[in-house]
Amino acid sequence: MGIVLPYFNNIYKQKGWCKYEIYKDINVIVTPFFFYIGLIFFKLFCPNFLVFNIYGAIIGSLIITLVYKILKKLECGKSLAFLTTLALYSILQKSLFSNGPNYNFLVLAVILMGIYLEIKQNKKQNRYTDLLQGIITFFVLFTKQNMGVYYLLAITVYKFIKYKNLRESIKCIMKIYSVIFLLGISFLIYLKVSGIWEGFFYYVISGTGDFLSNASIPAIGNSDMFFLIIPITILVLGVIGIKKQRFSEEENNNIKLLICTAIASIGYIIPLVNDGHIVKAAVINI
């Protein structure tokens, strides 16, 4: 309970009960989507730990569901997809459903949505995919800024290596960046109008540098190394698979996507290399 109490308090204290505002009266070093969604839950229902845990259960269920749907889209077979998802649930059941919600798992759910969207695009073309990817990428940035940057880089590189035509790659990337830009400008206007721009800049942008300089890196245990090896293994196997040309174009594109997100996921453990960050990064690659 002690771990999640700050998350609960930061949602509870927002205006409506204590009249506090995030970045003004509440010190938060990440972008605010997790706290805004939590506030909606508290306003719709009741500000207590039961509602807070329901919020966490919804995030956990979304992660498990997306993992299963991604595996099915990769044509692993229903049985293998189910068993893999069940194994993941068994490993992460306590973290996802018993420890309460946090922004790390919410951003993981949003990233999985983006990966699922691209895999669907590889199977069946949709002209709106890049626009939707721009919205998803914005919400990754809007939930946790450092993970948003790494995810954006992963999607950018993926679009460049997916298409043989450079013009097509640039066209897709421009759509994604245009959506992020428009939504980002709208968010910055909101911050300015709300009078919390200075606090946002100090805590989320400037404060992150101070946090990085003061963050300590603990020793990584054997169990952590197991999860850290997952993205590296996927990267090596993916490169070998593409080089041998054993896959269809759709499968090659999926592997390219997974390679890009696998590389990016290594950066998700920053700024703190600890058990939680390593496990959350590994989920993306399982």
Side-chain angles (χ1 to χ4, degrees), residues 105-162:
F105 282 124
L106 179 60
V107 77
L108 174 59
V110 182
I111 288 172
L112 289 173
M113 286 182 193
I115 293 173
Y116 177 69
L117 179 70
E118 288 297 332
I119 291 173
K120 280 188 66 177
Q121 165 78 356
N122 289 337
K123 184 174 287 292
K124 185 178 180 181
Q125 294 294 315
N126 186 334
R127 60 179 178 175
Y128 299 111
T129 295
D130 294 322
L131 299 177
L132 292 172
Q133 188 62 253
I135 294 172
I136 289 173
T137 305
F138 168 77
F139 278 111
V140 177
L141 287 161
F142 194 41
T143 307
K144 193 175 183 184
Q145 66 275 25
N146 68 312
M147 293 183 76
V149 170
Y150 291 121
Y151 180 72
L152 178 59
L153 287 173
I155 291 298
T156 302
V157 173
Y158 166 66
K159 292 295 184 181
F160 269 118
I161 64 177
K162 177 183 177 180

Side-chain angles (χ1 to χ4, degrees), residues 81 121 124 163 176 234 246 272 285:
Q121 165 78 356
K124 185 178 180 181
Y163 299 103
I176 294 171
I234 289 177
R246 291 183 176 178
L272 288 179
N285 303 282

Side-chain angles (χ1 to χ4, degrees), residues 21-33:
E21 287 193 75
I22 199 168
Y23 305 126
K24 198 172 188 179
D25 310 296
I26 306 170
N27 301 343
V28 173
I29 63 169
V30 297
T31 36
F33 189 50

Side-chain angles (χ1 to χ4, degrees), residues 152-260:
L152 178 59
L153 287 173
I155 291 298
T156 302
V157 173
Y158 166 66
K159 292 295 184 181
F160 269 118
I161 64 177
K162 177 183 177 180
Y163 299 103
K164 296 178 180 179
N165 188 328
L166 180 61
R167 182 176 295 181
E168 184 67 24
S169 296
I170 294 174
K171 180 182 176 181
C172 293
I173 292 168
M174 288 303 296
K175 287 181 182 178
I176 294 171
Y177 277 65
S178 295
V179 172
I180 296 171
F181 176 77
L182 291 174
L183 292 175
I185 289 295
S186 300
F187 175 59
L188 292 177
I189 292 173
Y190 163 77
L191 291 175
K192 192 68 177 177
V193 171
S194 301
I196 56 176
W197 159 250
E198 290 184 1
F200 173 83
F201 181 84
Y202 176 77
Y203 289 113
V204 176
I205 302 175
S206 176
T208 301
D210 296 334
F211 181 74
L212 278 168
S213 62
N214 295 322
S216 59
I217 301 178
I220 300 177
N222 293 332
S223 60
D224 300 330
M225 285 301 298
F226 169 76
F227 284 106
L228 193 57
I229 286 169
I230 291 174
I232 298 172
T233 303
I234 289 177
L235 172 62
V236 173
L237 292 177
V239 171
I240 292 173
I242 291 177
K243 190 174 180 180
K244 291 185 176 181
Q245 291 292 318
R246 291 183 176 178
F247 305 107
S248 65
E249 182 180 354
E250 176 191 336
E251 290 169 332
N252 272 330
N253 287 334
N254 287 336
I255 292 172
K256 290 173 184 178
L257 172 66
L258 295 176
I259 288 174
C260 291

